[in-house]
Amino acid sequence: MSNEKTPSALEGNESAVSQPGSSEPQDAGLASYTREQEVRVVRKLDWNLMSLFFVLYMLAYLDRGNIGNARIAGMAQDLKLDGNRYQWLLNIFYIAYVLFEFGVLLWKIFPPHIVGTIVVFGWGLIATVQSGTHSWGGEMALRLLLGAFEACYGPGIIYLLSFFYLRHEIGFRCGIFASAAPLASTFSGALAYGITSGHSHLANWRLLFLVEGIPTILMTAIAFFFIPDSAEKARFLTAEEKDVVRSRAMRQVGTNAEARIGGIKLRDLGLVLLDWKAWVCGLMYFCGNVTYSSLPVFLPTILQDMGYTAIDAQGLSAPPSFAAFLFALITTWIADKTQQRCLVLFVTAAVGGVGYIILATVDTVGVRYFATFLASAGVFSTIPNILGLTLNNQGSDTRRGMSIVLINLIGQCGPFLGTNVFPTKEAPRYVKGMSICAAFMFFAALLALIQRVLLMWENSRLDRKYGSVSASKESKDVAQENYGPNFRYVL
Protein backbone atom coordinates (compact mmCIF):
# COMPACT_ATOMS: atom_id res chain seq x y z
CA MET A 1 0.00 0.00 0.00
CA SER A 2 1.46 3.35 -0.94
CA ASN A 3 1.44 6.38 1.31
CA GLU A 4 -0.52 8.77 -0.90
CA LYS A 5 -2.18 10.38 2.07
CA THR A 6 1.13 12.07 2.89
CA PRO A 7 1.72 15.08 0.62
CA SER A 8 4.90 14.52 -1.33
CA ALA A 9 7.33 17.11 -2.58
CA LEU A 10 6.07 18.74 -5.71
CA GLU A 11 7.85 18.44 -9.04
CA GLY A 12 10.63 20.87 -9.92
CA ASN A 13 10.60 23.88 -7.58
CA GLU A 14 6.91 23.78 -6.76
CA SER A 15 6.25 24.36 -3.08
CA ALA A 16 2.93 26.12 -2.96
CA VAL A 17 0.00 23.94 -2.01
CA SER A 18 -3.39 25.48 -1.39
CA GLN A 19 -5.32 24.76 1.77
CA PRO A 20 -8.61 22.90 1.82
CA GLY A 21 -11.52 25.07 0.85
CA SER A 22 -9.34 27.90 -0.39
CA SER A 23 -10.70 29.46 -3.53
CA GLU A 24 -7.84 31.87 -4.15
CA PRO A 25 -4.55 30.83 -5.68
CA GLN A 26 -1.59 31.06 -3.32
CA ASP A 27 0.97 31.98 -5.95
CA ALA A 28 1.41 35.54 -7.09
CA GLY A 29 2.33 34.35 -10.57
CA LEU A 30 -1.02 32.68 -11.08
CA ALA A 31 -2.69 34.94 -13.63
CA SER A 32 -6.45 35.01 -13.93
CA TYR A 33 -8.14 33.99 -17.15
CA THR A 34 -11.65 33.44 -18.38
CA ARG A 35 -13.20 30.13 -19.38
CA GLU A 36 -13.35 31.35 -22.97
CA GLN A 37 -9.60 32.07 -22.98
CA GLU A 38 -8.84 28.62 -21.60
CA VAL A 39 -11.09 26.93 -24.16
CA ARG A 40 -9.27 28.78 -26.93
CA VAL A 41 -5.88 27.61 -25.62
CA VAL A 42 -7.02 24.00 -25.27
CA ARG A 43 -8.46 24.07 -28.78
CA LYS A 44 -5.11 25.30 -30.12
CA LEU A 45 -3.31 22.52 -28.25
CA ASP A 46 -5.69 20.00 -29.77
CA TRP A 47 -5.30 21.22 -33.33
CA ASN A 48 -1.52 21.52 -33.19
CA LEU A 49 -0.46 18.74 -30.83
CA MET A 50 -3.13 16.07 -31.03
CA SER A 51 -3.30 16.15 -34.82
CA LEU A 52 0.48 15.63 -35.05
CA PHE A 53 0.61 12.93 -32.37
CA PHE A 54 -2.43 11.24 -33.93
CA VAL A 55 -0.92 11.04 -37.40
CA LEU A 56 2.40 9.75 -36.04
CA TYR A 57 0.71 7.07 -33.95
CA MET A 58 -1.43 6.04 -36.90
CA LEU A 59 1.78 5.55 -38.88
CA ALA A 60 3.34 3.67 -35.95
CA TYR A 61 0.39 1.33 -35.77
CA LEU A 62 0.45 0.77 -39.53
CA ASP A 63 4.13 -0.09 -39.36
CA ARG A 64 3.56 -2.40 -36.41
CA GLY A 65 0.42 -4.19 -37.57
CA ASN A 66 0.84 -4.44 -41.34
CA ILE A 67 2.66 -7.72 -40.85
CA GLY A 68 -0.78 -9.33 -40.62
CA ASN A 69 -1.68 -8.00 -44.05
CA ALA A 70 1.77 -8.86 -45.43
CA ARG A 71 1.41 -12.43 -44.23
CA ILE A 72 -1.59 -13.19 -46.42
CA ALA A 73 -0.15 -11.12 -49.28
CA GLY A 74 2.69 -13.57 -49.89
CA MET A 75 5.25 -13.01 -47.13
CA ALA A 76 4.42 -16.36 -45.51
CA GLN A 77 5.49 -18.18 -48.66
CA ASP A 78 8.51 -16.03 -49.54
CA LEU A 79 10.05 -16.10 -46.05
CA LYS A 80 8.92 -19.69 -45.35
CA LEU A 81 6.94 -18.82 -42.23
CA ASP A 82 6.29 -22.44 -41.31
CA GLY A 83 5.27 -23.69 -37.88
CA ASN A 84 5.41 -20.95 -35.23
CA ARG A 85 7.72 -18.62 -37.14
CA TYR A 86 4.99 -16.05 -37.72
CA GLN A 87 4.09 -16.08 -34.01
CA TRP A 88 7.73 -15.36 -33.20
CA LEU A 89 7.72 -12.34 -35.48
CA LEU A 90 4.89 -11.00 -33.34
CA ASN A 91 6.49 -12.05 -30.05
CA ILE A 92 9.89 -10.46 -30.71
CA PHE A 93 8.27 -7.07 -31.25
CA TYR A 94 6.66 -7.17 -27.80
CA ILE A 95 9.77 -8.55 -26.12
CA ALA A 96 11.58 -5.40 -27.28
CA TYR A 97 8.55 -3.28 -26.36
CA VAL A 98 8.80 -4.48 -22.75
CA LEU A 99 12.59 -4.28 -22.49
CA PHE A 100 12.73 -0.68 -23.72
CA GLU A 101 9.69 0.59 -21.82
CA PHE A 102 11.76 2.80 -19.51
CA GLY A 103 12.39 4.94 -22.58
CA VAL A 104 9.10 6.63 -21.61
CA LEU A 105 10.99 8.63 -18.99
CA LEU A 106 13.27 10.10 -21.67
CA TRP A 107 10.42 12.48 -22.56
CA LYS A 108 10.83 14.12 -19.14
CA ILE A 109 14.63 14.00 -18.95
CA PHE A 110 15.45 15.36 -22.42
CA PRO A 111 13.77 17.95 -24.67
CA PRO A 112 10.71 16.22 -26.17
CA HIS A 113 11.36 17.46 -29.70
CA ILE A 114 14.75 15.72 -29.69
CA VAL A 115 13.35 12.47 -28.29
CA GLY A 116 10.46 12.55 -30.73
CA THR A 117 12.69 13.13 -33.76
CA ILE A 118 15.03 10.23 -32.95
CA VAL A 119 12.18 7.84 -32.19
CA VAL A 120 10.14 8.67 -35.31
CA PHE A 121 13.14 8.40 -37.64
CA GLY A 122 14.22 5.15 -36.02
CA TRP A 123 11.00 3.23 -36.40
CA GLY A 124 10.31 4.72 -39.84
CA LEU A 125 13.67 3.55 -41.16
CA ILE A 126 13.28 0.05 -39.71
CA ALA A 127 9.71 -0.27 -41.01
CA THR A 128 10.84 0.66 -44.52
CA VAL A 129 13.87 -1.65 -44.53
CA GLN A 130 11.51 -4.60 -43.91
CA SER A 131 10.68 -4.43 -47.61
CA GLY A 132 14.17 -5.66 -48.44
CA THR A 133 14.46 -8.61 -46.07
CA HIS A 134 14.97 -12.08 -47.57
CA SER A 135 14.98 -14.32 -44.51
CA TRP A 136 13.03 -15.03 -41.37
CA GLY A 137 16.09 -14.18 -39.26
CA GLY A 138 16.47 -10.79 -40.90
CA GLU A 139 12.81 -9.98 -40.31
CA MET A 140 13.17 -11.08 -36.66
CA ALA A 141 16.04 -8.58 -36.18
CA LEU A 142 14.04 -5.77 -37.77
CA ARG A 143 10.95 -6.50 -35.68
CA LEU A 144 13.12 -6.37 -32.54
CA LEU A 145 14.42 -2.91 -33.46
CA LEU A 146 10.94 -1.74 -34.45
CA GLY A 147 9.61 -2.70 -31.02
CA ALA A 148 12.43 -0.83 -29.26
CA PHE A 149 11.68 2.45 -31.04
CA GLU A 150 7.91 2.19 -30.83
CA ALA A 151 8.11 1.46 -27.07
CA CYS A 152 9.41 4.99 -26.63
CA TYR A 153 6.73 6.62 -28.74
CA GLY A 154 3.20 5.45 -27.90
CA PRO A 155 3.52 5.29 -24.08
CA GLY A 156 5.84 8.30 -24.14
CA ILE A 157 3.30 10.53 -25.86
CA ILE A 158 0.59 9.44 -23.42
CA TYR A 159 2.90 10.61 -20.63
CA LEU A 160 3.76 13.83 -22.47
CA LEU A 161 0.05 14.70 -22.78
CA SER A 162 -0.12 15.01 -18.98
CA PHE A 163 2.20 18.05 -19.28
CA PHE A 164 -0.28 19.87 -21.51
CA TYR A 165 -3.75 18.83 -20.30
CA LEU A 166 -5.55 18.86 -16.94
CA ARG A 167 -6.92 15.70 -15.34
CA HIS A 168 -10.50 16.27 -16.58
CA GLU A 169 -9.13 16.77 -20.11
CA ILE A 170 -6.53 14.02 -20.37
CA GLY A 171 -8.82 11.03 -20.89
CA PHE A 172 -10.36 12.28 -24.13
CA ARG A 173 -6.91 13.17 -25.46
CA CYS A 174 -5.73 9.65 -24.64
CA GLY A 175 -8.79 8.51 -26.58
CA ILE A 176 -7.94 10.71 -29.58
CA PHE A 177 -4.37 9.44 -29.56
CA ALA A 178 -5.18 5.76 -29.06
CA SER A 179 -8.04 5.85 -31.57
CA ALA A 180 -5.39 6.24 -34.25
CA ALA A 181 -4.80 2.50 -33.80
CA PRO A 182 -8.21 1.29 -35.02
CA LEU A 183 -8.21 3.98 -37.70
CA ALA A 184 -4.83 2.71 -38.84
CA SER A 185 -6.33 -0.77 -38.98
CA THR A 186 -9.11 0.65 -41.15
CA PHE A 187 -6.65 2.15 -43.63
CA SER A 188 -4.35 -0.83 -43.36
CA GLY A 189 -7.12 -3.08 -44.63
CA ALA A 190 -8.08 -0.68 -47.40
CA LEU A 191 -4.47 -0.03 -48.44
CA ALA A 192 -3.61 -3.73 -48.39
CA TYR A 193 -6.72 -4.40 -50.44
CA GLY A 194 -5.50 -1.98 -53.12
CA ILE A 195 -1.93 -3.30 -53.11
CA THR A 196 -2.74 -7.01 -53.11
CA SER A 197 -5.23 -6.59 -55.95
CA GLY A 198 -2.56 -5.08 -58.20
CA HIS A 199 0.24 -6.66 -60.24
CA SER A 200 3.50 -4.97 -59.25
CA HIS A 201 6.97 -6.12 -60.33
CA LEU A 202 7.82 -6.00 -56.61
CA ALA A 203 6.19 -8.59 -54.35
CA ASN A 204 2.99 -7.14 -52.94
CA TRP A 205 4.03 -7.60 -49.32
CA ARG A 206 7.34 -5.82 -49.97
CA LEU A 207 5.51 -2.94 -51.63
CA LEU A 208 3.20 -2.77 -48.60
CA PHE A 209 6.13 -2.27 -46.20
CA LEU A 210 7.69 0.30 -48.53
CA VAL A 211 4.54 2.36 -49.07
CA GLU A 212 3.67 2.45 -45.37
CA GLY A 213 7.21 3.02 -44.08
CA ILE A 214 8.39 5.97 -46.18
CA PRO A 215 5.76 8.46 -44.87
CA THR A 216 7.08 7.93 -41.34
CA ILE A 217 10.60 8.90 -42.39
CA LEU A 218 9.22 12.03 -44.06
CA MET A 219 7.44 12.98 -40.82
CA THR A 220 10.76 13.19 -38.97
CA ALA A 221 11.32 16.84 -39.93
CA ILE A 222 7.81 17.78 -38.82
CA ALA A 223 8.39 16.08 -35.47
CA PHE A 224 11.59 18.07 -34.95
CA PHE A 225 10.05 21.46 -35.64
CA PHE A 226 6.53 21.03 -34.28
CA ILE A 227 6.79 18.97 -31.07
CA PRO A 228 7.14 21.66 -28.36
CA ASP A 229 9.32 21.05 -25.32
CA SER A 230 6.60 22.59 -23.15
CA ALA A 231 3.37 24.48 -23.61
CA GLU A 232 5.22 27.73 -22.82
CA LYS A 233 7.52 27.10 -25.81
CA ALA A 234 4.73 26.29 -28.23
CA ARG A 235 5.23 28.55 -31.24
CA PHE A 236 1.52 28.45 -32.09
CA LEU A 237 0.50 30.20 -28.83
CA THR A 238 0.45 34.00 -28.39
CA ALA A 239 2.04 35.73 -25.40
CA GLU A 240 -1.39 36.08 -23.76
CA GLU A 241 -2.13 32.42 -24.33
CA LYS A 242 1.20 31.45 -22.81
CA ASP A 243 0.15 33.32 -19.65
CA VAL A 244 -2.91 31.09 -19.54
CA VAL A 245 -0.67 28.05 -20.00
CA ARG A 246 1.53 29.13 -17.08
CA SER A 247 -1.51 29.54 -14.88
CA ARG A 248 -2.82 26.13 -15.89
CA ALA A 249 0.53 24.58 -14.99
CA MET A 250 0.44 26.25 -11.57
CA ARG A 251 -3.11 25.07 -11.12
CA GLN A 252 -2.02 21.56 -12.10
CA VAL A 253 1.30 20.97 -10.31
CA GLY A 254 2.37 24.25 -8.67
CA THR A 255 5.20 25.19 -11.04
CA ASN A 256 5.56 26.66 -14.52
CA ALA A 257 5.31 24.32 -17.49
CA GLU A 258 8.92 24.66 -18.60
CA ALA A 259 10.32 23.61 -15.21
CA ARG A 260 8.65 20.20 -15.49
CA ILE A 261 11.14 18.94 -18.09
CA GLY A 262 14.71 18.07 -17.16
CA GLY A 263 14.84 15.44 -14.42
CA ILE A 264 13.06 12.79 -12.39
CA LYS A 265 12.72 11.99 -8.69
CA LEU A 266 14.17 8.56 -7.96
CA ARG A 267 12.14 8.20 -4.77
CA ASP A 268 8.91 8.61 -6.69
CA LEU A 269 9.93 5.86 -9.09
CA GLY A 270 10.12 3.44 -6.19
CA LEU A 271 6.88 4.58 -4.60
CA VAL A 272 4.92 3.68 -7.73
CA LEU A 273 6.08 0.08 -7.30
CA LEU A 274 4.40 0.07 -3.87
CA ASP A 275 1.15 1.57 -5.12
CA TRP A 276 -1.70 -0.95 -5.50
CA LYS A 277 -3.61 1.40 -7.82
CA ALA A 278 -0.85 1.25 -10.44
CA TRP A 279 -0.72 -2.54 -10.20
CA VAL A 280 -4.49 -2.91 -10.66
CA CYS A 281 -4.29 -0.65 -13.72
CA GLY A 282 -1.41 -2.79 -14.95
CA LEU A 283 -3.50 -5.96 -14.59
CA MET A 284 -6.36 -4.34 -16.51
CA TYR A 285 -3.88 -3.25 -19.16
CA PHE A 286 -2.58 -6.81 -19.41
CA CYS A 287 -6.12 -8.08 -19.97
CA GLY A 288 -6.78 -5.46 -22.60
CA ASN A 289 -3.53 -6.11 -24.42
CA VAL A 290 -4.16 -9.84 -24.73
CA THR A 291 -6.91 -8.90 -27.17
CA TYR A 292 -5.59 -5.49 -28.34
CA SER A 293 -2.43 -7.05 -29.77
CA SER A 294 -4.00 -10.04 -31.46
CA LEU A 295 -7.10 -8.53 -33.07
CA PRO A 296 -5.48 -6.32 -35.76
CA VAL A 297 -2.97 -8.94 -36.92
CA PHE A 298 -5.42 -11.84 -36.93
CA LEU A 299 -8.66 -10.11 -38.00
CA PRO A 300 -7.95 -10.46 -41.76
CA THR A 301 -7.08 -14.13 -41.20
CA ILE A 302 -10.21 -14.70 -39.09
CA LEU A 303 -12.38 -13.14 -41.80
CA GLN A 304 -10.63 -15.19 -44.50
CA ASP A 305 -11.33 -18.35 -42.51
CA MET A 306 -15.02 -17.40 -42.35
CA GLY A 307 -15.07 -18.15 -46.05
CA TYR A 308 -14.11 -14.82 -47.61
CA THR A 309 -11.29 -14.55 -50.15
CA ALA A 310 -8.01 -12.99 -49.02
CA ILE A 311 -8.83 -9.84 -50.97
CA ASP A 312 -12.32 -9.51 -49.46
CA ALA A 313 -10.96 -10.25 -45.98
CA GLN A 314 -8.63 -7.26 -46.26
CA GLY A 315 -11.53 -4.97 -47.19
CA LEU A 316 -13.99 -6.35 -44.63
CA SER A 317 -11.56 -5.78 -41.75
CA ALA A 318 -11.96 -2.00 -42.20
CA PRO A 319 -15.56 -1.36 -40.96
CA PRO A 320 -15.10 -3.00 -37.50
CA SER A 321 -11.92 -0.98 -37.00
CA PHE A 322 -13.68 2.27 -37.90
CA ALA A 323 -16.47 1.47 -35.41
CA ALA A 324 -13.78 0.97 -32.76
CA PHE A 325 -12.27 4.37 -33.64
CA LEU A 326 -15.63 6.08 -32.98
CA PHE A 327 -16.33 4.11 -29.79
CA ALA A 328 -12.92 5.01 -28.32
CA LEU A 329 -13.62 8.72 -28.84
CA ILE A 330 -17.15 8.55 -27.41
CA THR A 331 -16.28 6.58 -24.29
CA THR A 332 -13.23 8.65 -23.32
CA TRP A 333 -15.24 11.86 -23.81
CA ILE A 334 -17.97 10.51 -21.51
CA ALA A 335 -15.36 9.47 -18.93
CA ASP A 336 -13.84 12.97 -18.93
CA LYS A 337 -17.21 14.69 -18.58
CA THR A 338 -18.50 12.41 -15.82
CA GLN A 339 -15.12 11.64 -14.16
CA GLN A 340 -16.41 8.07 -13.79
CA ARG A 341 -13.61 6.23 -15.54
CA CYS A 342 -14.04 2.86 -13.82
CA LEU A 343 -17.72 2.60 -14.77
CA VAL A 344 -16.92 3.45 -18.39
CA LEU A 345 -14.16 0.85 -18.31
CA PHE A 346 -16.61 -1.75 -17.04
CA VAL A 347 -18.90 -1.10 -20.00
CA THR A 348 -16.18 -1.12 -22.66
CA ALA A 349 -14.58 -4.32 -21.37
CA ALA A 350 -17.96 -6.04 -21.13
CA VAL A 351 -18.83 -5.09 -24.72
CA GLY A 352 -15.57 -6.59 -25.93
CA GLY A 353 -16.14 -9.74 -23.90
CA VAL A 354 -19.61 -10.22 -25.39
CA GLY A 355 -18.17 -9.89 -28.89
CA TYR A 356 -15.64 -12.64 -28.25
CA ILE A 357 -18.26 -14.92 -26.68
CA ILE A 358 -20.32 -14.66 -29.87
CA LEU A 359 -17.26 -15.37 -32.02
CA ALA A 360 -16.52 -18.47 -29.93
CA THR A 361 -20.04 -19.92 -29.88
CA VAL A 362 -21.85 -18.93 -33.11
CA ASP A 363 -21.40 -20.49 -36.56
CA THR A 364 -23.41 -18.05 -38.69
CA VAL A 365 -21.02 -15.92 -40.74
CA GLY A 366 -23.15 -12.73 -40.60
CA VAL A 367 -23.51 -12.90 -36.82
CA ARG A 368 -19.81 -13.58 -36.39
CA TYR A 369 -18.95 -10.59 -38.55
CA PHE A 370 -21.22 -8.42 -36.37
CA ALA A 371 -19.38 -9.77 -33.32
CA THR A 372 -16.10 -8.44 -34.74
CA PHE A 373 -17.64 -4.95 -34.40
CA LEU A 374 -18.36 -5.54 -30.70
CA ALA A 375 -14.95 -7.05 -30.03
CA SER A 376 -13.10 -4.25 -31.84
CA ALA A 377 -15.13 -1.49 -30.20
CA GLY A 378 -14.69 -2.94 -26.71
CA VAL A 379 -10.99 -3.70 -27.01
CA PHE A 380 -9.85 -0.46 -28.64
CA SER A 381 -11.83 1.74 -26.21
CA THR A 382 -10.73 -0.11 -23.07
CA ILE A 383 -7.06 0.73 -23.58
CA PRO A 384 -7.30 4.58 -23.63
CA ASN A 385 -9.69 4.59 -20.68
CA ILE A 386 -7.14 2.64 -18.64
CA LEU A 387 -4.46 5.18 -19.59
CA GLY A 388 -6.60 8.11 -18.42
CA LEU A 389 -7.34 6.38 -15.12
CA THR A 390 -3.65 5.66 -14.57
CA LEU A 391 -2.52 9.25 -15.17
CA ASN A 392 -5.32 10.71 -13.03
CA ASN A 393 -4.39 8.80 -9.90
CA GLN A 394 -0.69 9.54 -9.47
CA GLY A 395 0.27 12.76 -7.72
CA SER A 396 3.56 13.88 -9.28
CA ASP A 397 5.03 14.10 -12.77
CA THR A 398 7.63 11.42 -12.04
CA ARG A 399 5.01 9.11 -10.61
CA ARG A 400 2.75 9.63 -13.60
CA GLY A 401 5.63 8.66 -15.88
CA MET A 402 6.62 5.64 -13.82
CA SER A 403 3.01 4.46 -13.65
CA ILE A 404 2.89 4.46 -17.47
CA VAL A 405 6.13 2.44 -17.46
CA LEU A 406 4.74 -0.02 -14.91
CA ILE A 407 1.40 -0.67 -16.61
CA ASN A 408 3.25 -1.25 -19.88
CA LEU A 409 5.79 -3.59 -18.27
CA ILE A 410 2.82 -5.64 -17.06
CA GLY A 411 0.41 -4.97 -19.89
CA GLN A 412 2.75 -5.53 -22.82
CA CYS A 413 3.26 -9.10 -21.59
CA GLY A 414 -0.35 -9.65 -22.67
CA PRO A 415 0.59 -9.85 -26.36
CA PHE A 416 2.82 -12.86 -25.66
CA LEU A 417 -0.40 -14.71 -24.87
CA GLY A 418 -2.69 -12.85 -27.27
CA THR A 419 -0.58 -13.47 -30.37
CA ASN A 420 -0.27 -17.20 -29.64
CA VAL A 421 -3.89 -18.20 -29.04
CA PHE A 422 -4.87 -18.32 -32.72
CA PRO A 423 -2.82 -21.25 -34.10
CA THR A 424 -3.62 -22.13 -37.70
CA LYS A 425 -4.56 -25.68 -36.73
CA GLU A 426 -7.62 -24.30 -34.87
CA ALA A 427 -9.00 -22.45 -37.91
CA PRO A 428 -11.66 -21.47 -38.83
CA ARG A 429 -13.42 -21.09 -35.45
CA TYR A 430 -10.46 -20.45 -33.12
CA VAL A 431 -12.74 -21.35 -30.20
CA LYS A 432 -9.95 -21.48 -27.63
CA GLY A 433 -8.50 -18.14 -28.70
CA MET A 434 -11.88 -16.41 -28.70
CA SER A 435 -12.73 -17.85 -25.29
CA ILE A 436 -9.44 -16.74 -23.78
CA CYS A 437 -9.91 -13.20 -25.09
CA ALA A 438 -13.47 -13.10 -23.74
CA ALA A 439 -12.31 -14.25 -20.30
CA PHE A 440 -9.67 -11.54 -20.07
CA MET A 441 -12.09 -8.82 -21.15
CA PHE A 442 -14.60 -9.85 -18.48
CA PHE A 443 -11.80 -10.00 -15.89
CA ALA A 444 -10.83 -6.42 -16.85
CA ALA A 445 -14.45 -5.38 -16.27
CA LEU A 446 -14.36 -6.95 -12.80
CA LEU A 447 -11.06 -5.23 -11.97
CA ALA A 448 -12.57 -1.87 -12.96
CA LEU A 449 -15.32 -2.30 -10.37
CA ILE A 450 -12.83 -3.39 -7.71
CA GLN A 451 -10.63 -0.38 -8.50
CA ARG A 452 -13.59 1.97 -8.14
CA VAL A 453 -14.55 0.62 -4.71
CA LEU A 454 -10.98 0.90 -3.43
CA LEU A 455 -10.59 4.45 -4.78
CA MET A 456 -13.83 5.50 -3.05
CA TRP A 457 -12.38 4.13 0.20
CA GLU A 458 -9.13 6.06 -0.33
CA ASN A 459 -11.05 9.29 -0.97
CA SER A 460 -13.08 8.82 2.20
CA ARG A 461 -9.82 8.52 4.16
CA LEU A 462 -8.53 11.75 2.63
CA ASP A 463 -11.84 13.51 3.41
CA ARG A 464 -11.58 12.46 7.04
CA LYS A 465 -8.02 13.78 7.25
CA TYR A 466 -8.33 17.05 5.29
CA GLY A 467 -12.06 17.67 5.05
CA SER A 468 -14.12 17.46 1.90
CA VAL A 469 -13.08 19.48 -1.16
CA SER A 470 -14.94 20.74 -4.19
CA ALA A 471 -14.58 18.64 -7.33
CA SER A 472 -15.33 21.63 -9.55
CA LYS A 473 -13.37 21.84 -12.80
CA GLU A 474 -13.34 25.62 -12.40
CA SER A 475 -11.35 25.56 -9.14
CA LYS A 476 -8.20 27.70 -9.28
CA ASP A 477 -6.38 26.07 -6.35
CA VAL A 478 -2.65 25.54 -6.88
CA ALA A 479 -1.13 22.06 -7.45
CA GLN A 480 -4.46 20.26 -7.56
CA GLU A 481 -3.00 17.24 -9.34
CA ASN A 482 -0.07 16.71 -6.97
CA TYR A 483 -0.44 15.07 -3.60
CA GLY A 484 -1.72 17.50 -1.00
CA PRO A 485 -4.87 18.47 0.89
CA ASN A 486 -6.83 19.11 -2.32
CA PHE A 487 -5.85 15.90 -4.12
CA ARG A 488 -8.57 13.29 -4.60
CA TYR A 489 -8.60 10.17 -6.73
CA VAL A 490 -10.68 10.03 -9.89
CA LEU A 491 -13.17 7.18 -9.82
Side-chain angles (χ1 to χ4, degrees):
M1 183 74 66
S2 62
N3 57 349
E4 286 85 1
K5 63 181 183 292
T6 302
S8 69
L10 304 179
E11 294 292 314
N13 298 320
E14 62 244 59
S15 59
V17 178
S18 58
Q19 297 302 314
S22 171
S23 60
E24 295 299 322
Q26 294 188 344
D27 190 286
L30 190 61
S32 61
Y33 52 87
T34 66
R35 176 61 181 163
E36 290 72 21
Q37 288 175 310
E38 184 177 25
V39 168
R40 185 169 64 250
V41 168
V42 172
R43 188 178 296 118
K44 275 196 170 184
L45 291 174
D46 288 341
W47 278 111
N48 290 274
L49 292 184
M50 294 311 306
S51 57
L52 173 59
F53 295 154
F54 181 91
V55 170
L56 287 173
Y57 191 53
M58 188 169 64
L59 292 173
Y61 208 80
L62 281 172
D63 294 334
R64 174 197 312 188
N66 58 10
I67 191 171
N69 300 116
R71 178 194 187 188
I72 63 175
M75 187 178 73
Q77 292 76 28
D78 290 353
L79 297 189
K80 298 180 174 58
L81 301 183
D82 305 319
N84 63 353
R85 282 189 164 191
Y86 177 69
Q87 276 71 27
W88 269 108
L89 289 178
L90 305 180
N91 289 341
I92 196 67
F93 175 90
Y94 289 103
I95 289 173
Y97 210 92
V98 171
L99 292 177
F100 288 87
E101 198 57 49
F102 280 92
V104 168
L105 299 175
L106 296 176
W107 292 87
K108 178 167 171 56
I109 298 173
F110 299 105
H113 81 281
I114 298 296
V115 178
T117 300
I118 294 172
V119 168
V120 172
F121 179 76
W123 102 63
L125 180 63
I126 298 303
T128 305
V129 170
Q130 287 181 106
S131 64
T133 187
H134 289 277
S135 68
W136 174 74
E139 181 64 13
M140 282 283 288
L142 293 173
R143 293 283 295 178
L144 175 72
L145 293 172
L146 186 66
F149 281 105
E150 287 206 24
C152 298
Y153 181 71
I157 292 297
I158 291 294
Y159 178 38
L160 187 65
L161 292 179
S162 68
F163 291 79
F164 293 89
Y165 294 98
L166 305 181
R167 68 190 329 201
H168 64 273
E169 302 165 346
I170 190 70
F172 182 55
R173 276 72 194 181
C174 289
I176 293 174
F177 180 74
S179 68
L183 192 62
S185 296
T186 301
F187 291 124
S188 176
L191 181 59
Y193 182 92
I195 292 175
T196 54
S197 62
H199 301 282
S200 169
H201 294 294
L202 191 66
N204 285 337
W205 66 271
R206 296 184 186 278
L207 186 61
L208 180 64
F209 283 137
L210 195 64
V211 168
E212 294 185 353
I214 289 177
T216 304
I217 297 177
L218 297 178
M219 288 293 292
T220 301
I222 296 177
F224 180 82
F225 288 107
F226 290 97
I227 295 180
D229 292 337
S230 69
E232 291 181 18
K233 290 185 175 180
R235 64 182 67 193
F236 52 82
L237 295 178
T238 66
E240 178 187 7
E241 289 166 342
K242 289 180 180 180
D243 287 337
V244 175
V245 162
R246 293 186 188 96
S247 295
R248 280 166 54 89
M250 291 298 299
R251 174 182 169 190
Q252 186 180 20
V253 297
T255 187
N256 63 64
E258 190 174 348
R260 300 170 71 180
I261 300 295
I264 58 175
K265 291 179 178 291
L266 296 179
R267 180 174 180 271
D268 280 358
L269 297 181
L271 288 175
V272 172
L273 300 178
L274 303 176
D275 186 357
W276 61 265
K277 294 180 294 300
W279 286 94
V280 173
C281 284
L283 288 175
M284 284 192 285
Y285 208 58
F286 176 88
C287 295
N289 272 294
V290 169
T291 53
Y292 184 82
S293 61
S294 60
L295 190 60
V297 294
F298 284 107
L299 183 57
T301 302
I302 292 170
L303 290 171
Q304 185 178 359
D305 289 334
M306 285 184 189
Y308 298 105
T309 66
I311 298 296
D312 289 338
Q314 300 281 16
L316 287 171
S317 65
S321 297
F322 187 72
F325 162 75
L326 296 176
F327 202 60
L329 293 178
I330 292 169
T331 56
T332 51
W333 182 83
I334 291 173
D336 264 2
K337 292 298 181 182
T338 62
Q339 290 289 277
Q340 299 294 328
R341 301 200 187 280
C342 291
L343 293 181
V344 173
L345 266 171
F346 174 80
V347 172
T348 61
V351 168
V354 169
Y356 277 108
I357 287 291
I358 295 174
L359 285 168
T361 58
V362 176
D363 292 322
T364 307
V365 172
V367 176
R368 298 191 78 208
Y369 184 55
F370 169 73
T372 64
F373 282 80
L374 296 179
S376 298
V379 169
F380 282 107
S381 56
T382 294
I383 294 298
N385 278 290
I386 294 173
L387 295 171
L389 182 69
T390 302
L391 290 170
N392 274 173
N393 290 323
Q394 295 295 328
S396 78
D397 281 337
T398 297
R399 291 190 59 152
R400 282 183 277 273
M402 185 59 192
S403 68
I404 292 297
V405 171
L406 179 62
I407 69 167
N408 277 280
L409 287 174
I410 301 170
Q412 296 301 339
C413 292
F416 298 136
L417 174 61
T419 55
N420 284 283
V421 295
F422 294 97
T424 54
K425 65 181 180 181
E426 295 187 5
R429 290 284 303 281
Y430 300 102
V431 173
K432 184 176 73 174
M434 302 299 183
S435 301
I436 290 173
C437 288
F440 276 105
M441 290 306 290
F442 285 126
F443 185 50
L446 176 62
L447 287 173
L449 294 181
I450 293 173
Q451 178 86 307
R452 177 180 168 81
V453 171
L454 293 175
L455 289 173
M456 291 173 64
W457 174 69
E458 287 275 21
N459 279 345
S460 67
R461 292 177 61 196
L462 293 172
D463 283 344
R464 287 194 298 272
K465 180 169 184 177
Y466 298 115
S468 61
V469 297
S470 170
S472 171
K473 299 175 185 178
E474 307 301 325
S475 172
K476 294 298 193 299
D477 290 325
V478 172
Q480 297 173 34
E481 299 186 23
N482 277 8
Y483 293 127
N486 289 311
F487 181 87
R488 294 295 182 274
Y489 298 104
V490 173
L491 304 179

